[in-house]
Every structure is written in structure tokens, then in C-alpha cells.
């Protein structure tokens, strides 16, 4: 059953060194504040999982928190490459980084299989694709009914998933809307789930009957962190800070500039700082 | 209208290939501009799909990412990412996939994964995202990219998504039933695969472009169709619509909140 905790306490209680952890968000609802808290708490040896690792994964990788990253698209969307990740992959700075790479279809199917309690996912994919040759976790299986050759990947079941969401009610049920991405599957596939929300409301009366709600008993902890997705966005609350994504390209291009930026904006900052970062984007949704 | 830049000509020529009843899976970047230009000109009812789950979207400005909020706000419906890839793409509901490429070979195979050896790359690129299954599950694939020797190469370093392999019936041999790449639009020319070899062949040169220019910016020996046509120049409507779209996009993505 969901506990209402401070972000510090929720991360401390649910994330340990060596964990397989997903900070999910498909452009939308990326849990930046939660990842920054993990950075401040100095977690190491993590296996970082996400379909679309972008700048917050670049930050964690640039600080040497990860031994491995599992992904299907690793870039700064619409801007370019992730420079800290490149430095880790190409130059082992600050530490070597193992990669396990999939396609979106494979990752999405793997999370869904994880949520469904299956050991693997089966789909029509990877035909002629080079990833099947370099990733031993991609296999081909034969359909026992038709003989069709299909792709199989292990299901994705992180030790812990972090997501951001619009709101929770007082019982701890969580509402996710807009581009829901992989949020629901990533929570239901994980051993533990921590959700940061924009606000806590009394109840969900008047919601659409099919709204995406994660019942309180599927969530380990809920933390109120207004602006907690910034520079990603929260549909209905504030828009995406595209300028910050563009600026990251320059900040991350240089090891010293990166390190100074992390000190000023993460180590010397707190979850409460996120609310101020989204003020000017609040009319943009 | 003859003052269009080569890039504008590319986007306009690519947009013309889309049909009003297409269901199009849109790649980010150049494909996104072409697809939305088609929607704003000759194909107002085209269904545009982005991999973030937005189906039937009609953004006023081009998204910076595949998951910008406006894609959801203007969509007919927004589904989860697993549903997107399972029911809609794998289910065979998408007629055209529109992709860009970092590296492309003459058979329409695309590399967006790594330059150099995969395990020890010279440049680590973002990777495939949805492209491996877009390339095999959409009815056909359109590709658009600017020509240069580094991009259009004799041999790609990594098969991120499969086009026509080494040509001929390579797709059938792998059990892929869809058509694969049927069109390549660059800033200089329009290309279509040869019916038998599947090698991309120049069928149309954009206005003012020479065969030499096409060859100089392409890493493989270029084959030209028997009758090479001249791409019709952009109409006033196409060019102003595209420029307005880019102007709105620039205003929205720079400076303060859109």
C-alpha cells in the first residue's frame, strides 16, 4: 500500500546500490526530481533501464552511477546525441558502461510481459536487424501453431520503477494521463514503485471512467514534487522546457562544465527547487 | 516559385508522395516536416502517428521530440506505447513508415546505431528506437535525407533497420511480407528502387540539379533511370505553407513557453 513520503525517504527506502532501476517516461512525465535525489544519495553500480534514456540518464551515467544501461533509443530528442553517455561508451569516462540495446517494440513488449508475469515477450520483430547479432538477449522462436519465426526477449522486471504522474488521491491511487507511454507497465512490472506527483487531491470524482489509474496497492511510495518532471512536462500542468534540452547539448559537451552544472543544479539543490523551474511553462499545456 | 532551398525542395517533394488516405508512422526530423506539410496541403485527412502513441495527430508546430504535448492535445486518440507497437504497427494498420537516416546504402538499409564497430564505436549514435519494426511492419517505407558522402555510403556500418538487404528478394527470404523502401527523397533528387535489383535509382532531379551533383554527394555509383524527369518546382502554396510551419516552430521552440 502506498506510503506518503518525502522524496528523500522514498528514494532511501526503495533504491539500493546494484539495483535494476527504471526511471520511466516517454518524453512526458520523466521523473527528473527522483533521479536527482538518487544522485544526491550517491547510489552506485545501478543497471539503468529506460526505453528512451535522455538527459537525466546522461547525468547519472556522467557521474559514474551506472554499470549498465538497457535502452532502445539513447539521445536528446530532436537535439542530438547524449555526450556523457558517448564519453562513457567510447572512452570509459568516468567508468566503463555496459550496454544492452533493443528496439522500442522489444522494450515495450518486455515491460508488458513483465507486468503480465511472463518470463519473456514474443513479437514479430528484429527481422534483418543488426541488434539481433550483437545482443544475446534477442532470440528467435518458432510459433508452435503456424511455424512463423518470431522474436523473443526476456521480460523486463526492474527491482524498482520511478515515474512521475499528474496526481494522487488521499488513498494513494495515482492518475496518469496524456502520453501515458510505458508508465503503467513499468510500475506493474517492478518489485517496487515510487511515484512523484504534482499534487494530492481529495478524490478522483468526475474522472473519465477509463482513466489510467494505478490503485494505491500497486505503488510503494508517493511523493508530492511539483514540477518534478522538469525539463520534461506534465500534461495539464506545465509544458516541456525545450530550451533546457537544447542547452544540455552544450553543458554536456565538456567534462568540467558538466561537473560544475551538476554541483550547482543537483547536489546544491533540493526537490523543492523544481516548482520554480516550471513557473514560466505553466500556461503552455 | 524558384527560390526554394534544396532542403525545402526535399521536404516538399517528400510531402507529395503521401496520399490523403495514408496512415503514416512519422519519424522525427525531416520526415516530420514532410508529413505535416502533406497534411497542411493536399492530404488534410491523412492519419499521422508518432511512436509516443499519438494517433491522428495534427500539431500546429513541428514537435521537437516524438512526445511533445501538442501531439497528444491534437490527436484523435493517444494509446500506450505497447499498444502502439503491438496493435497498430505489428497489427498491420500502418500504410507508410517515413524514416530519416544517418547512414543509408543503395538498397535502403539504414544505420542510426553506430559509426565504426558496434562494440567499439567511433561515434555512438542514438540507435533505432522504433525503426527496426517500422521498417518491417509498415506497408512501405519512404526515406528522406540530405545527400552527402558520409551519409550515403557503399556499405553501412550497422543494419539498424532492414531495407532490401543485398537486393533482389532479400526481404522475402527473411519472411518479411511488406514492401520495404519504395521511395527516397533527397535534397537533390527523387529515387525509387529498381523493380528487380531493388537498388535505388534516380527517377527525378530537382530543378537545377545536375547528374554530377548527385554523384558527387553519393558514396555509391549512381544509377539513373532511363527517363529521368525534372521534379516539379514548389508551388507558392507549398512553399509558403512550409515556411509558415517552420516559422511557427522556431518561435515555439526558442525563447519562452509556446
Amino acid at each position: 500500500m502506498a506510503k506518503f513520503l518525502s522524496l528523500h525517504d522514498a528514494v532511501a527506502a526503495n533504491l539500493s546500490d546494484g539495483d535494476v532501476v527504471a526511471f520511466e517516461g516517454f518524453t512526458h512525465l520523466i521523473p527528473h526530481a527522483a533521479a536527482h535525489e538518487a544522485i544526491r544519495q550517491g547510489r552506485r553500480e545501478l543497471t539503468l533501464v529506460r526505453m528512451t534514456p535522455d538527459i537525466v540518464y546522461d547525468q547519472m551515467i556522467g557521474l559514474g552511477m551506472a554499470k549498465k544501461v538497457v535502452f532502445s533509443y539513447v539521445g536528446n530528442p530532436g537535439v542530438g546525441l547524449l555526450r556523457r553517455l558517448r564519453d562513457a561508451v567510447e572512452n570509459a569516462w568516468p567508468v566503463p558502461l555496459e550496454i544492452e540495446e533493443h528496439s522500442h517494440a522489444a522494450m515495450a513488449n518486455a515491460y508488458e510481459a513483465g507486468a503480465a508475469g511472463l518470463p519473456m515477450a514474443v513479437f514479430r520483430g528484429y527481422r534483418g536487424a543488426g541488434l539481433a547479432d550483437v545482443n544475446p538477449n534477442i532470440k528467435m522462436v518458432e510459433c508452435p501453431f503456424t511455424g512463423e519465426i518470431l522474436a523473443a526477449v526476456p521480460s523486463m522486471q526492474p527491482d524498482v520503477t520511478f515515474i512521475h504522474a499528474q496526481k494522487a488521491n488521499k488513498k494513494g491511487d495515482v492518475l496518469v494521463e496524456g502520453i501515458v507511454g510505458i508508465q503503467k507497465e513499468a510500475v506493474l512490472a517492478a518489485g517496487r514503485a515510487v511515484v512523484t506527483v504534482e499534487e494530492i487531491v481529495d478524490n478522483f470524482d468526475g474522472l473519465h471512467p477509463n482513466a489510467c489509474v494505478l490503485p494505491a496497492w500497486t505503488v510503494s511510495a508517493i511523493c508530492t514534487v511539483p514540477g518534478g518532471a522538469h525539463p520534461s512536462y506534465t500534461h495539464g500542468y506545465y509544458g516541456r522546457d525545450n530550451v533546457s534540452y537544447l542547452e544540455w547539448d552544450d553543458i554536456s559537451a565538456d567534462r568540467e562544465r558538466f561537473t560544475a552544472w551538476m554541483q550547482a543544479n543537483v547536489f546544491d539543490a533540493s526537490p523543492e527547487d523544481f516548482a520554480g523551474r516550471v513557473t514560466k511553462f505553466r500556461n503552455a499545456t | 516559385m524558384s527560390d526554394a532551398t534544396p532542403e525545402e525542395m526535399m521536404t516538399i517533394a517528400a510531402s507529395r508522395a503521401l496520399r490523403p488516405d495514408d496512415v503514416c508512422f512519422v519519424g522525427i526530423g525531416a520526415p516530420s516536416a514532410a508529413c505535416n506539410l502533406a497534411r497542411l496541403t493536399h492530404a488534410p485527412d491523412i492519419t499521422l502517428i508518432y511512436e509516443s502513441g499519438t494517433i491522428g495527430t495534427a500539431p500546429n508546430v513541428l514537435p521537437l521530440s516524438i512526445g511533445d504535448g501538442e501531439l497528444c492535445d491534437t490527436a484523435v486518440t493517444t494509446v500506450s506505447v505497447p499498444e502502439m507497437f503491438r496493435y497498430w504497427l505489428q497489427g498491420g494498420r500502418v500504410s507508410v513508415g517515413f524514416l530519416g537516416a544517418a547512414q543509408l546504402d543503395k538498397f535502403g538499409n539504414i544505420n542510426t546505431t553506430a559509426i565504426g564497430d558496434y562494440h567499439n564505436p567511433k561515434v555512438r549514435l542514438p540507435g533505432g528506437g522504433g525503426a527496426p519494426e517500422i521498417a518491417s511492419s509498415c506497408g512501405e517505407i519512404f526515406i528522406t535525407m540530405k545527400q552527402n558522402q558520409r551519409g550515403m555510403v557503399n556499405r553501412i556500418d550497422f543494419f539498424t533497420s532492414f531495407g532490401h538487404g543485398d537486393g533482389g528478394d532479400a526481404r522475402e527470404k527473411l519472411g518479411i511480407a511488406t514492401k520495404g523502401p519504395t521511395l527516397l527523397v533527397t535534397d537533390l533528387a527523387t529515387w525509387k528502387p529498381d523493380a528487380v535489383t531493388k537498388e535505388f535509382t534516380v527517377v527525378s532531379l530537382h530543378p537545377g540539379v545536375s547528374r554530377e551533383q548527385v554523384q558527387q554527394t553519393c558514396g555509391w555509383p549512381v544509377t539513373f533511370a532511363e527517363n529521368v524527369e525534372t521534379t516539379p518546382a514548389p508551388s507558392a502554396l507549398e512553399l509558403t505553407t512550409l515556411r509558415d510551419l517552420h516559422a511557427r516552430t522556431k518561435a515555439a521552440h526558442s525563447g519562452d513557453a509556446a
Side-chain angles (χ1 to χ4, degrees):
Chain A
M1 190 59 76
K3 292 179 186 168
F4 293 94
L5 297 175
S6 70
L7 184 57
H8 174 277
D9 290 354
V11 171
N14 287 285
L15 182 64
S16 305
D17 289 349
D19 274 352
V20 177
V21 54
F23 295 86
E24 268 297 351
F26 206 86
T27 298
H28 181 213
L29 296 174
I30 299 166
H32 276 261
H36 282 187
E37 184 58 36
I39 289 171
R40 281 189 294 272
Q41 294 188 18
R43 295 282 72 80
R44 312 296 285 185
E45 297 283 309
L46 299 174
T47 293
L48 294 175
V49 179
R50 191 162 142 211
M51 292 187 66
T52 53
D54 63 357
I55 67 181
V56 79
Y57 274 51
D58 212 29
Q59 293 167 2
M60 291 190 284
I61 288 164
L63 292 168
M65 292 167 63
K67 64 179 178 187
K68 180 176 178 181
V69 58
V70 183
F71 67 94
S72 44
Y73 178 93
V74 61
N76 185 345
V79 179
L81 310 172
L82 289 184
R83 299 182 184 281
R84 292 299 92 224
L85 175 127
R86 277 191 61 190
D87 207 7
V89 171
E90 297 167 19
N91 309 310
W93 192 90
V95 294
L97 181 69
E98 183 187 347
I99 65 171
E100 178 177 335
E101 182 169 9
H102 288 281
S103 66
H104 278 348
M107 288 281 283
N109 275 282
Y111 271 123
E112 193 190 52
L118 289 170
M120 69 166 188
V122 176
F123 62 106
R124 186 180 293 114
Y126 283 131
R127 288 181 178 169
L131 281 178
D133 299 325
V134 297
N135 180 349
N137 269 343
I138 299 168
K139 307 278 192 201
M140 295 295 158
V141 296
E142 184 181 326
C143 169
F145 305 104
T146 66
E148 184 176 359
I149 301 299
L150 298 164
V153 293
S155 65
M156 176 54 67
Q157 294 180 312
D159 294 315
V160 55
T161 288
F162 291 82
I163 64 165
H164 190 70
Q166 273 86 3
K167 54 186 145 188
N169 63 25
K170 284 186 170 169
K171 288 190 292 185
D173 306 320
V174 171
L175 173 73
V176 186
E177 60 186 357
I179 290 176
V180 293
I182 195 80
Q183 305 298 76
K184 184 177 185 176
E185 291 78 9
V187 165
L188 297 181
R192 305 178 295 280
V194 176
V195 183
T196 55
V197 295
E198 291 295 323
E199 60 177 334
I200 310 281
V201 298
D202 286 343
N203 58 61
F204 285 166
D205 291 355
L207 285 187
H208 187 282
N210 298 108
C212 180
V213 172
L214 290 159
W217 46 273
T218 65
V219 174
S220 313
I222 293 170
C223 320
T224 308
V225 187
H230 177 270
S232 173
Y233 70 101
T234 300
H235 193 106
Y237 288 80
Y238 49 90
R240 192 172 189 263
D241 180 1
N242 284 325
V243 172
S244 282
Y245 279 90
L246 293 164
E247 287 174 350
W248 183 251
D249 201 44
D250 183 57
I251 295 162
S252 60
D254 177 85
R255 290 174 183 174
E256 286 181 15
R257 198 153 58 237
F258 162 74
T259 305
W261 191 94
M262 294 303 295
Q263 188 66 44
N265 294 280
V266 180
F267 290 105
D268 295 343
S270 74
E272 289 71 36
D273 291 322
F274 277 83
R277 293 171 186 166
V278 301
T279 307
K280 71 175 181 173
F281 302 100
R282 283 204 177 272
N283 295 323
T285 55
Chain B
M1 278 289 203
S2 58
D3 64 337
T5 66
E7 189 163 357
E8 288 171 336
M9 184 69 246
M10 172 173 80
T11 305
I12 289 165
S15 78
R16 290 171 180 161
L18 290 162
R19 296 143 298 212
D21 58 349
D22 268 327
V23 177
C24 179
F25 209 111
V26 185
I28 205 67
S32 183
C35 294
N36 281 289
L37 179 61
R39 180 179 59 78
L40 293 168
T41 53
H42 69 279
D45 293 326
I46 191 170
T47 296
L48 300 183
I49 294 179
Y50 288 73
E51 63 192 12
S52 53
T54 52
I55 297 177
T57 186
N60 187 47
V61 302
L62 296 175
L64 185 66
S65 83
I66 46 77
D68 280 17
E70 201 191 348
L71 294 174
C72 177
D73 284 331
T74 61
V76 173
T77 186
T78 297
V79 301
S80 73
V81 169
E83 181 178 326
M84 181 82 262
F85 282 93
R86 289 173 66 79
Y87 301 174
W88 301 92
L89 180 62
Q90 182 178 261
R93 301 269 175 185
V94 183
S95 60
V96 179
F98 216 133
L99 299 174
Q103 263 191 345
L104 176 79
D105 71 15
K106 66 182 177 183
F107 294 118
N109 304 299
I110 292 174
N111 173 24
T112 58
T113 301
I115 305 296
D117 177 60
Y118 178 80
H119 295 287
N120 189 18
K122 261 187 277 184
V123 183
R124 175 63 229 199
L125 301 170
E133 283 75 24
I134 292 172
S136 58
S137 291
C138 293
E140 61 187 313
I141 298 297
F142 297 167
I143 301 167
T144 184
M145 69 182 290
K146 282 200 260 189
Q147 289 201 205
N148 65 71
Q149 291 263 2
R150 283 170 59 199
M152 295 173 74
V153 297
N154 207 32
R155 175 169 281 274
I156 57 174
D157 292 330
F158 192 86
F159 274 59
T160 305
S161 57
F162 194 80
H164 294 290
D166 55 3
D169 60 352
R171 290 177 75 84
E172 288 82 351
K173 282 184 192 158
L174 284 174
I176 305 173
T178 53
K179 288 183 195 166
T182 56
L183 179 75
L184 165 65
V185 180
T186 70
D187 48 341
L188 302 180
T190 298
W191 313 53
K192 290 187 177 175
D194 178 85
V196 178
T197 68
K198 303 297 184 189
E199 176 184 336
F200 269 129
T201 304
V202 174
V203 296
S204 175
L205 292 168
H206 299 339
V209 173
S210 70
R211 292 183 179 217
E212 290 70 30
Q213 280 175 282
V214 174
Q215 181 62 74
Q216 281 162 7
T217 51
C218 180
W220 66 78
V222 177
T223 303
F224 293 86
E226 204 167 310
N227 296 306
V228 175
E229 298 179 350
T230 301
T231 311
S235 70
L237 175 68
E238 287 171 326
L239 201 52
T240 52
T241 304
L242 178 61
R243 287 178 178 173
D244 288 350
L245 177 62
H246 280 312
R248 287 198 302 275
T249 301
K250 191 176 174 192
H253 292 173
S254 61
D256 295 338

